[in-house]
Amino acid sequence: MDSGPAVYGLLLGAIGLGAVVGAFALPRLRRVLDADRLVILGSCGTAATLATLGLARSPTPALAACVLAGFSWILVIATLNVSAQISLPDWVRGRGLAMFVTAFFGAMTLGSAVWGQMATMLDLSTTNYVAAAGLLFGILPSRRWKLSAGAGPDLTPSMHWPNPVISIDAEADRGPVMISVEYSVDSRHRDAFLRAVRQLGEGRRRDGAYAWDIFEDVAQEGRFVEIFYVASWLEHLRQHRRVTNADRILQEMVRQFGADQEPKVTHLIAASSSASGAERVAS
């Protein structure tokens, strides 16, 4: 389709019009479609746009395709943004969204270069068809990853961890710090306990631990020790403020598999050069 700048201006305006229509339609669509289906709908709309632009030989179908492009764009970008925000706890939301935006627009930049190079090797219509087909085929493998939308885990800080009781000089930058949590577990609940505590381990890593594992005592049945490491004493204190209500619920679930006694928590900090042996911080 060969046209002058006026037509290309109309095409850009049509994309903007489609985005505005999509923004008004989005609240109603969210009432009948979940986040994953909204992204699939937007992806299919984008694929239809590419195929139509490849077939268009006059401005009219191209204008219709551009309206659909704007509509599809706002469905996808708004849904992904909301999903990213509600999936992140407060303390890391800014950094997480920055990484999301960087990855999103970085992929757009790289994709522009790749598809532009392909268009020089093939023709523009064929490139549009290949892009549309790739988008449709990409929907299937992406179905395994679900988007968060609406009410999800309660990621507000629970502040239920008590402050550690210290008897030595634990400077803020001193570390690394090893935290151990000892559980006494009924043997009948061993497998269920391990599944739950491994979910807990994911939260430890999310909140700052750089290593985590669960160990079983070979000499005492039912004795398990969870161990995780953080870089410094200050980083561990930050963990106390990062733990969420969802973590609290999971911790309570882990503890229900144990005996009547509470898990024993111990903090060990790397000994400084002025001390001999390991120094212990009891909680």
Side-chain angles (χ1 to χ4, degrees), residues 54-149:
L55 292 167
R57 295 297 179 266
S58 65
T60 302
L63 284 170
C66 286
V67 172
L68 180 58
F71 184 91
S72 302
W73 163 262
I74 204 67
L75 290 189
V76 173
I77 192 64
T79 304
L80 292 180
N81 270 304
V82 170
S83 181
Q85 289 189 49
I86 65 177
S87 298
L88 295 166
D90 293 343
W91 66 269
V92 78
R93 182 168 292 134
R95 280 173 283 177
L97 289 176
M99 293 179 64
F100 166 74
V101 171
T102 300
F104 188 89
F105 287 101
M108 283 187 62
T109 302
L110 179 61
S112 298
V114 170
W115 290 112
Q117 184 63 31
M118 181 172 290
T120 61
M121 297 168 59
L122 305 172
D123 59 88
L124 188 57
S125 294
T126 303
T127 303
N128 282 341
Y129 301 149
V130 173
L135 189 55
L136 292 175
F137 282 118
I139 291 173
L140 295 177
S142 66
R143 292 288 290 160
R144 60 182 298 185
W145 295 287
K146 300 297 182 181
L147 294 171
S148 298

Side-chain angles (χ1 to χ4, degrees), residues 6-282:
V7 173
Y8 291 118
L10 286 174
L11 295 178
L12 290 175
I15 294 175
L17 175 63
V20 172
V21 173
F24 281 105
L26 190 55
R28 184 172 297 178
L29 288 172
R30 281 178 174 158
R31 289 195 288 268
V32 296
L33 298 174
D34 60 18
D36 295 288
R37 289 186 173 89
L38 281 173
V39 171
I40 290 174
L41 178 62
S43 299
C44 291
T46 302
T49 297
L50 291 168
T52 303
L53 290 175
L55 292 167
R57 295 297 179 266
S58 65
T60 302
L63 284 170
C66 286
V67 172
L68 180 58
F71 184 91
S72 302
W73 163 262
I74 204 67
L75 290 189
V76 173
I77 192 64
T79 304
L80 292 180
N81 270 304
V82 170
S83 181
Q85 289 189 49
I86 65 177
S87 298
L88 295 166
D90 293 343
W91 66 269
V92 78
R93 182 168 292 134
R95 280 173 283 177
L97 289 176
M99 293 179 64
F100 166 74
V101 171
T102 300
F104 188 89
F105 287 101
M108 283 187 62
T109 302
L110 179 61
S112 298
V114 170
W115 290 112
Q117 184 63 31
M118 181 172 290
T120 61
M121 297 168 59
L122 305 172
D123 59 88
L124 188 57
S125 294
T126 303
T127 303
N128 282 341
Y129 301 149
V130 173
L135 189 55
L136 292 175
F137 282 118
I139 291 173
L140 295 177
S142 66
R143 292 288 290 160
R144 60 182 298 185
W145 295 287
K146 300 297 182 181
L147 294 171
S148 298
D154 186 357
L155 300 178
T156 56
S158 64
M159 306 299 290
H160 73 282
W161 283 10
N163 291 326
V165 178
I166 62 174
S167 58
I168 64 171
D169 182 19
E171 297 178 355
D173 60 349
R174 188 170 165 188
V177 179
M178 183 183 79
I179 301 94
S180 67
V181 186
E182 183 177 335
Y183 303 91
S184 179
V185 179
D186 190 320
S187 59
R188 295 173 298 175
H189 304 309
R190 178 182 180 277
D191 292 340
F193 165 78
L194 288 175
R195 286 193 297 269
V197 81
R198 288 196 172 100
Q199 292 182 50
L200 193 60
E202 295 176 3
R204 310 288 201 206
R205 294 189 183 96
R206 181 202 67 207
D207 291 342
Y210 64 82
W212 178 93
D213 217 325
I214 182 75
F215 298 89
E216 184 174 11
D217 192 338
V218 297
Q220 182 179 337
E221 185 180 8
R223 180 174 179 261
F224 292 85
V225 181
E226 176 196 7
I227 291 178
F228 57 99
Y229 294 84
V230 291
S232 67
W233 183 246
L234 177 61
E235 188 66 20
H236 178 58
L237 294 180
R238 286 172 175 162
Q239 280 188 309
H240 280 251
R241 295 191 292 271
R242 291 169 179 169
V243 65
T244 66
N245 284 316
D247 295 326
R248 176 181 54 80
I249 294 171
L250 182 57
Q251 288 171 18
E252 292 172 354
M253 184 174 68
V254 168
R255 292 183 180 188
Q256 76 179 7
F257 297 115
D260 294 334
Q261 64 189 49
E262 283 290 307
K264 180 182 177 182
V265 182
T266 303
H267 298 76
L268 295 172
I269 192 169
S272 63
S273 57
S274 61
S276 59
E279 294 183 332
R280 179 171 173 154
V281 184

